[in-house]
Amino acid sequence: MADAASRTGRAHLWRLHRQLLLFLLGFIAFLLAMAWAERAGLSRGWIGPIFLFLSVMVYAVIGIYGRTADPEEYYVAGRRIPAMYNGMATAADWMSAASFISLAGALYLQGFSGTATQPGGLAYVLGWTGGFCLVGLLIAPRLRGMRLYTVPDFFAVRFGGRWPRLLAALGAIACSFMYVVAQIYGIGLIASRLTGVQFEIGILLGLGGVLLCSFLGGMRAITWTQVTQYVVLLLAFLIPVSWLAYKQLGTPLATLAYGAQLPKIDRLERALIDSPAEQDVRAIHRQRAREFAERLEDPAAALRNERVRLEERIRALRARGAEFSLVMQARRELAALPRDAASAREQWTRAMHEAQERAQPLGGLPRQGQAFAGDPRGTPEERAAFQASRWNFMALMFCLMIGTASLPHLLTRFYTTPSVADTRRSVAWSLVFIALLYLSTPALAVLVKYEVMQGLVGSSFDQLPHWIAQWARVDPALISAQDINGDGVLQFGELRLAADMIMLATPELGGLPYVVSGLVAAGGLAAALSTADGLLLTISNALVHDTAPLRGGVVRVSAHRVVLSKFTLLATAMVAAAVAGLKPAEIISLVTASFSLAAAVFFPSLVLGLFWRGATARGAVAGMLVGASVTVGYMLLASPGWRAAWGLAPSGVWGYIHPVSAGVFGVPAGFVAIALVSWWDGRRAASARAA
């Protein structure tokens, strides 16, 4: 019997290998066909929609094929996903819009180790990768051995009672919702760029693919969809970075060769710092910062004066019969004024800080190859900048590592393997598949920065590439190029790129065929969809399964709850889409904040619950409440926008730590709360037994 089962398992695995190979060959053939069609004259207006439509349709077909109403299949894919394929699905789940779209942007904007105000791009690479070591060593195998369905189920089985499980469900909803909003924002960004439709319509187009994958088949359909999406996103990342490396260095091995560009970038940075034109741009930004600072002395009066000035300007333009475009521009400026003094204080404070940052050399960007900001042997300001840079780097890396080991949608992926040993192998495979992309991300940031400094900066504004205006129409916050000093030439300080732009604009920046742009967009869509699938499933399961009462203290699943989870997933997706349509923040900021929250809510209770018999239910509840309160409280307390809205002083940080790394305070607070309350419960129990 065992030999027969083993032969059946090997045959099934070979079928999966064959199907994966066929898909890979078919996808490469499709790319070659599209490249031939572009050379033959296929319009760019068709290439983008074809990539979007075929991507969504492939994922939808897999979702429909994997549909199920069986609870075991819906929640944990029948616990029969082979380790390698679960590792591939986990990597796709992990390679969210933040990793695919924004990580290279963080390395471009923040350098390798950051500044006093930015933590540094390598902190993301090291933190996210190192977190999987914690997952494999501490968490995933032990949770898999308990044969659970969700992370809150652990709290029900380990601690008992209603409140630990309920608070864990609420924590899963909070951190997953923040995370999924970032993914849906990325979906809208890519879909609108591919098709030319409005951002909000792009969200709905991409959301259809999410729902078809996760609504019908739950974890079973999501797993095989994510395997497919991993292939797409890996090719979409490696092809442009290899092409760019070949263009600049003569070899496609970007990971091994990109170091040759660092000395060249260093020389270009020094030239830009000394450039008189760049110094003129910095002086104008300093003047703008002073003007905003003057307005902030009395925001109400300044707002009235600005409104009167613009109204008089509109009347003057009308009186002398000025061009209609000038009148409309003045009207737009009037409409863009803040509504009241509180809004003015928040908006002008943000604008002042941005102007102050862009008044720095290189537009506020750090030198790409510097170790940390400042100088440990320099002036007091330089020493403070050095300390702030180091502390923020370490704090962010800590939060990302702990958050990786705590995110419910990621831990649930390891419930789908056949055994505990397969779970450990699955974590190892996940690291392999993630490393294929993460090792190339710093290379992409360096190659793009060289391309910008060497090829784009110094261009005439009349001859700027069309893709700049096209991306600005999608979202003006993504990219802007303004002739601030009026010389008609683009300076580095006049170009502003958001983190979300670096990867998406790489093919057009490097002069690659438009098919590669479509491929990159399809890869970004695959990354966002794969993560959104798992997050929406986690939220719907938390709302339906994890808040349901236990029967006899045992976690049970039923077909009725599966149906209810499906419709809850649909409602959650609609709410998340509405929030994403508001464009609340950059993708990487939202994702980082969700990691801090997940770390503070779950990690202390998971670790002490698994490794300390003395941890009690009341202790777990206290740990989750204290950890979440400290983390969220610090995020609000140290947020510049929040402080400006309430009229507080700009500085509210503790020990240089940025708000997104608030988990560095919440996690220790959670551990202390669990230890103290559990110790007190133990003393009370001992006293009761003695009595």
Side-chain angles (χ1 to χ4, degrees):
M1 291 290 290
D3 291 341
S6 177
R7 285 195 299 272
T8 302
R10 284 197 298 270
H12 175 65
L13 194 59
W14 278 110
R15 279 198 304 274
L16 293 176
H17 292 340
R18 189 164 55 249
Q19 290 168 359
L20 179 63
L21 179 61
L22 289 174
F23 172 76
L24 178 61
L25 294 175
F27 186 68
I28 293 174
F30 165 72
L31 292 178
L32 294 174
M34 290 297 295
W36 173 84
E38 182 183 1
R39 291 178 63 87
L42 181 64
S43 168
R44 291 188 172 190
W46 281 102
I47 292 175
I50 288 172
F51 269 98
L52 175 66
F53 176 77
L54 287 183
S55 296
V56 172
M57 285 302 101
V58 168
Y59 308 146
V61 167
I62 296 173
I64 293 170
Y65 180 78
R67 65 189 184 278
T68 182
D70 179 78
E72 190 85 358
E73 294 284 346
Y74 185 84
Y75 286 111
V76 291
R79 304 191 198 274
R80 52 189 174 83
I81 305 299
M84 189 191 85
Y85 287 93
N86 194 63
M88 194 178 292
T90 303
D93 204 346
W94 189 243
M95 296 299 174
S96 65
S99 289
F100 187 92
I101 298 176
S102 300
L103 186 52
L107 283 156
Y108 175 97
L109 296 174
Q110 301 172 15
F112 291 148
S113 56
T115 66
T117 58
Q118 295 176 319
L122 275 185
Y124 292 97
V125 176
L126 297 174
W128 279 334
T129 307
F132 272 89
C133 298
L134 293 179
V135 171
L137 294 173
L138 294 180
I139 309 293
R142 289 169 175 81
L143 290 182
R144 173 61 186 85
M146 299 174 71
R147 297 190 63 84
L148 305 172
Y149 293 96
T150 64
V151 170
D153 282 347
F154 165 78
F155 290 83
V157 172
R158 169 60 179 84
F159 297 109
R162 180 187 178 193
W163 283 106
R165 186 186 190 212
L166 182 60
L167 287 177
L170 294 176
I173 293 167
C175 61
S176 298
F177 187 81
M178 194 183 304
Y179 205 157
V180 81
V181 165
Q183 307 314 307
I184 294 177
Y185 172 80
I187 290 169
L189 197 66
I190 296 163
S192 59
R193 177 68 178 93
L194 280 175
T195 60
V197 300
Q198 290 184 346
F199 175 78
E200 293 77 10
I201 303 299
I203 285 178
L204 295 179
L205 289 175
L207 204 58
V210 176
L211 295 175
L212 283 172
C213 296
S214 53
F215 179 79
L216 295 173
M219 186 61 79
R220 175 184 174 184
I222 287 172
T223 297
W224 299 115
T225 304
Q226 287 173 338
V227 170
T228 305
Q229 288 164 336
Y230 177 78
V231 174
V232 174
L233 68 89
L234 184 66
L235 290 177
F237 198 95
L238 293 184
I239 287 176
V241 71
S242 301
W243 199 317
L244 208 57
Y246 184 77
K247 174 186 174 184
Q248 293 183 15
L249 301 165
T251 173
L253 302 177
T255 303
L256 301 178
Y258 79 94
Q261 298 299 71
L262 287 172
K264 300 177 186 176
I265 290 175
D266 184 65
R267 289 193 293 272
L268 289 170
E269 287 172 338
R270 287 199 299 268
L272 290 171
I273 291 172
D274 297 334
S275 167
E278 293 287 347
Q279 292 173 3
D280 289 343
V281 172
R282 296 201 293 271
I284 295 171
H285 281 302
R286 281 195 295 272
Q287 177 60 32
R288 290 182 178 180
R290 285 192 293 268
E291 291 173 358
F292 282 118
E294 291 172 0
R295 292 185 191 181
L296 288 169
E297 292 176 0
D298 188 350
L303 185 59
R304 285 195 302 270
N305 294 338
E306 279 296 302
R307 189 169 284 116
V308 169
R309 182 183 67 81
L310 288 172
E311 289 172 348
E312 290 178 352
R313 181 182 169 193
I314 292 171
R315 283 195 294 270
L317 288 171
R318 284 178 170 177
R320 69 168 186 260
E323 293 183 7
F324 180 73
S325 60
L326 295 176
V327 177
M328 289 305 299
Q329 180 180 352
R331 284 187 176 277
R332 282 193 295 270
E333 291 179 16
L334 179 62
L337 283 177
R339 297 186 305 275
D340 50 39
S343 301
R345 183 183 293 108
E346 179 183 358
Q347 182 175 323
W348 290 343
T349 300
R350 188 166 56 247
M352 181 186 69
H353 290 321
E354 181 181 341
Q356 289 172 341
E357 184 175 313
R358 297 187 69 185
Q360 301 300 314
L362 301 176
L365 271 62
R367 302 285 289 270
Q368 187 69 38
Q370 74 177 15
F372 288 103
D375 184 351
R377 293 178 295 276
T379 65
E381 292 79 11
E382 290 174 333
R383 290 199 299 270
F386 180 76
Q387 291 294 340
S389 179
R390 288 200 309 165
W391 278 106
N392 270 297
F393 187 93
M394 297 301 295
L396 179 61
M397 192 166 65
F398 171 83
C399 289
L400 296 177
M401 287 181 66
I402 303 301
T404 299
S406 309
L407 280 171
H409 82 283
L410 180 67
L411 295 177
T412 305
R413 277 245 52 94
F414 299 105
Y415 292 177
T416 63
T417 54
S419 67
V420 173
D422 283 311
T423 296
R424 291 194 178 93
R425 284 193 288 270
S426 179
V427 175
W429 277 113
S430 300
L431 279 169
V432 170
F433 291 126
I434 289 169
L436 291 175
L437 188 142
Y438 272 10
L439 289 174
S440 300
T441 304
L444 178 66
V446 169
L447 296 174
V448 168
K449 181 164 282 190
Y450 180 80
E451 198 72 31
V452 169
M453 289 181 169
Q454 182 69 22
L456 194 58
V457 172
S459 303
S460 168
F461 270 88
D462 296 333
Q463 298 177 348
L464 288 180
H466 295 300
W467 60 266
I468 294 179
Q470 291 168 343
W471 275 110
R473 282 197 295 270
V474 173
D475 186 351
L478 290 173
I479 184 171
S480 69
Q482 298 177 336
D483 190 8
I484 293 174
N485 62 352
D487 65 351
V489 176
L490 179 66
Q491 312 299 332
F492 191 78
E494 296 174 327
L495 178 67
R496 184 171 58 83
L497 294 170
D500 300 340
M501 268 299 301
I502 302 303
M503 179 63 205
L504 295 176
T506 291
E508 292 159 310
L509 180 65
L512 276 61
Y514 191 73
V515 166
V516 181
S517 296
L519 173 63
V520 168
L525 188 66
L529 288 173
S530 62
T531 305
D533 286 334
L535 290 166
L536 288 173
L537 185 65
T538 296
I539 295 171
S540 65
N541 289 346
L543 288 168
V544 175
H545 172 76
D546 296 325
T547 57
L550 300 175
R551 287 181 287 177
V554 178
V555 175
R556 301 180 188 276
V557 294
S558 65
H560 168 72
R561 287 196 189 142
V562 169
V563 174
L564 192 56
S565 291
K566 290 182 177 184
F567 287 100
T568 306
L569 186 149
L570 179 63
T572 303
M574 293 297 104
V575 174
V579 175
L582 301 175
K583 304 176 183 178
E586 282 189 339
I587 292 172
I588 203 161
S589 299
L590 284 171
V591 170
T592 306
S594 71
F595 274 76
S596 274
L597 183 59
V601 172
F602 291 107
F603 191 76
S605 300
L606 281 171
V607 170
L608 293 181
L610 287 169
F611 295 98
W612 183 34
R613 285 188 174 184
T616 64
R618 281 159 44 93
V621 168
M624 285 188 281
L625 289 176
V626 169
S629 299
V630 170
T631 300
V632 175
Y634 182 70
M635 284 181 182
L636 296 176
L637 178 68
S639 169
W642 180 272
R643 297 184 70 84
W646 287 93
L648 301 174
S651 177
V653 299
W654 300 343
Y656 307 114
I657 304 301
H658 296 159
V660 292
S661 301
V664 78
F665 302 114
V667 171
F671 272 112
V672 170
I674 296 173
L676 289 177
V677 174
S678 297
W679 172 78
W680 180 252
D681 287 343
R683 286 198 60 182
R684 286 177 48 185
S687 299
R689 286 194 300 269

